[in-house]
Amino acid sequence: MHVPFCARRCSYCDFAIAVRKVVPWREFAHALAAEWKARNMTLTTALDTLYFGGGTPSILGSEGVRHVMDWVRSVAQLAPNAEVTLEANPEDITAQSVAAWQQAGINRLSIGVQSFDDGVLRWMHRVHNAGAAQRAAQVARDGGISAFSIDLIFALPSSLTRDWNRDLDLALSLMPDHISLYGLTVEPRTALGKWEARGDVTIAPEEQYEEQFLMANEQLTAAGYEHYEVSNFARPGKHAVHNSAYWSGSPYLGIGPAAHGYSGDVRRWNAAAYPRWQASAMAGIDPMSGSETLSAGNRLTERVYLGLRTRDGLLVGASDLPLVDQWLSAGWLERVNDAEPRRVRCTPLGWLRLDALASALTALRSH
Ligand code: SF4
């Protein structure tokens, strides 16, 4: 479920968001129900996971989240032990909101920390400061939501003198179940894109991206986390169930502005702009803005790419061996286990070349 609202736009953010001082959560909840009705949706199976992504879903507050969860339960069944994740920014995490979210059925938070450096957070135009991020994790734990993930961004411009090592240490000190890392990318329409175009900021060179990615791999795996997907680390048994379903090609529903869904054959996506999505749903019209039926070629590409993203890896055939053997020798791939000699996965060095490896293997397979 995509919740589009944010208090302000971060300097690097190019997502489909709606900046609102006062969040119209009742209007949003009505539009969700209207979308459901307009799409004539009925579910015959229980949901294994529910993920509130954004935007900033936590900005819905205690009452908004409770209201939306009540609506979800009125149209869908949640499987016993379903993973229900709320993306939350530190400034919204209070003892009161955590208690209300937990009561509403949220059992996992994904906390948008990004850095523990106040200068960096200001540069990013984030609302919170480092102290708030540290407090938020403690408040979540004290309130009984001990399953939480922390997001961090790396490969920032060198001029910020960000200490990546320190940020990783501080993240580890909060003992999260899960850590997601994102390399900073520059989108032209963002504030960061404009700063770069004016020459006010120089983006980190590729070597810095590589160095920080490998440093994170070393530091987090040494602390007992599994690097189970190119951007994700978890304590054993604490992999994100929801995201893992994307990577294994499972079907999912998407609801809300810009939400994507996948039936197993067809991918569809909703109108991204909040006013357009809301007006369409309230007029009783499916707010879909596009769809595609996956061809055999698309499926092949996805299978290769998704397989190489994860630690579970990919089963390779005899015709893949010319490339796979080279990559095993180069240290970019490794065998997953002895029992399945044809299953390979990327090493951290391989993940740094993920797109190139996936497209070379796809090209070889499609000949
Ligand atoms: S909080 Fe997230 S979605 Fe909202 S503006 Fe910042 S990066 Fe974008």
Side-chain angles (χ1 to χ4, degrees):
M1 180 184 296
H2 186 88
V3 183
F5 309 112
C6 287
R8 62 185 187 220
R9 188 177 279 278
C10 299
S11 58
Y12 53 86
C13 179
D14 192 31
F15 298 152
I17 63 159
V19 174
R20 294 286 185 280
K21 285 272 172 282
V22 179
V23 175
W25 63 262
R26 282 182 197 281
E27 178 189 86
F28 175 68
H30 280 143
L32 287 175
E35 175 181 350
W36 191 270
K37 204 159 157 216
R39 289 171 61 180
N40 209 9
M41 300 222 276
T42 43
L43 285 183
T44 50
T45 52
L47 299 173
D48 294 318
T49 65
L50 173 60
Y51 193 96
F52 289 86
T56 310
S58 56
I59 210 174
L60 294 174
S62 307
E63 219 183 335
V65 170
R66 192 164 46 221
H67 192 84
V68 173
M69 281 297 290
D70 284 347
W71 170 72
V72 169
R73 287 186 211 280
S74 73
V75 294
Q77 208 190 332
L78 288 170
N81 303 322
E83 180 191 88
V84 184
T85 306
L86 183 80
E87 284 186 356
N89 278 348
E91 64 274 14
D92 298 326
I93 300 178
T94 63
Q96 187 214 21
S97 62
V98 169
W101 295 337
Q102 195 187 30
Q103 210 180 13
I106 304 296
N107 52 29
R108 186 171 180 274
L109 295 180
S110 174
I111 308 178
V113 171
Q114 318 313 349
S115 172
F116 293 97
D117 178 317
D118 282 338
V120 165
L121 290 169
R122 274 195 301 275
W123 178 85
M124 288 178 171
H125 294 173
R126 301 291 304 195
V127 175
H128 68 275
N129 59 24
Q134 287 172 296
R135 270 193 305 279
Q138 198 50 49
V139 166
R141 198 189 300 285
D142 292 348
I145 306 189
S146 57
F148 63 86
S149 180
I150 284 182
D151 286 355
L152 294 175
I153 299 186
F154 68 102
L156 302 180
S158 321
S159 52
L160 292 173
T161 61
R162 188 265 194 99
D163 186 341
W164 178 228
N165 212 265
R166 175 179 174 271
D167 270 356
L168 289 169
D169 276 342
L170 285 170
L172 285 172
S173 72
L174 301 176
M175 296 184 296
D177 281 347
H178 193 276
I179 299 178
S180 298
L181 306 180
Y182 302 96
L184 183 71
T185 52
V186 184
E187 304 299 337
R189 293 182 316 167
T190 60
L192 175 58
K194 293 186 180 108
W195 297 340
E196 194 205 18
R198 283 206 306 258
D200 292 348
V201 74
T202 308
I203 293 316
E206 215 169 297
E207 304 79 62
Q208 188 183 321
Y209 180 102
E210 294 186 8
E211 190 191 322
Q212 295 192 348
F213 180 81
L214 295 175
M215 190 190 281
N217 170 268
E218 201 172 308
Q219 208 162 326
L220 300 184
T221 54
Y225 287 75
E226 292 171 352
H227 194 170
Y228 74 103
E229 195 268 345
V230 56
S231 304
N232 289 285
F233 297 78
R235 292 177 185 280
K238 302 292 184 184
H239 297 190
V241 181
H242 185 83
N243 292 4
S244 298
Y246 293 143
W247 305 321
S248 65
S250 302
Y252 51 89
L253 282 174
I255 187 164
H260 283 56
Y262 175 58
S263 69
D265 300 308
V266 179
R267 197 184 307 285
R268 58 158 281 156
W269 52 94
N270 278 350
Y274 175 68
R276 215 176 116 217
W277 167 81
Q278 193 260 350
S280 175
M282 292 310 287
I285 300 164
D286 181 346
M288 181 171 84
S289 88
S291 70
E292 66 174 344
T293 302
L294 295 189
S295 65
N298 294 148
R299 280 169 204 282
L300 174 70
T301 309
E302 289 210 351
R303 222 176 14 253
V304 170
Y305 185 67
L306 293 176
L308 290 178
R309 281 178 75 143
T310 68
R311 241 171 93 84
D312 293 340
L314 180 73
L315 269 178
V316 293
S319 57
D320 298 324
L321 292 181
L323 283 181
V324 167
D325 284 342
Q326 269 180 41
W327 297 344
L328 284 165
S329 313
W332 299 344
L333 293 183
E334 62 187 10
R335 294 213 155 77
V336 174
N337 57 50
D338 294 341
E340 274 187 302
R342 286 282 172 86
R343 183 173 288 278
V344 295
R345 65 179 170 215
C346 280
T347 61
L349 282 177
W351 272 327
L352 287 169
R353 299 163 174 81
L354 176 60
D355 289 346
L357 301 193
S359 64
L361 199 53
T362 307
L364 181 69
R365 285 186 173 191
S366 45
H367 276 112

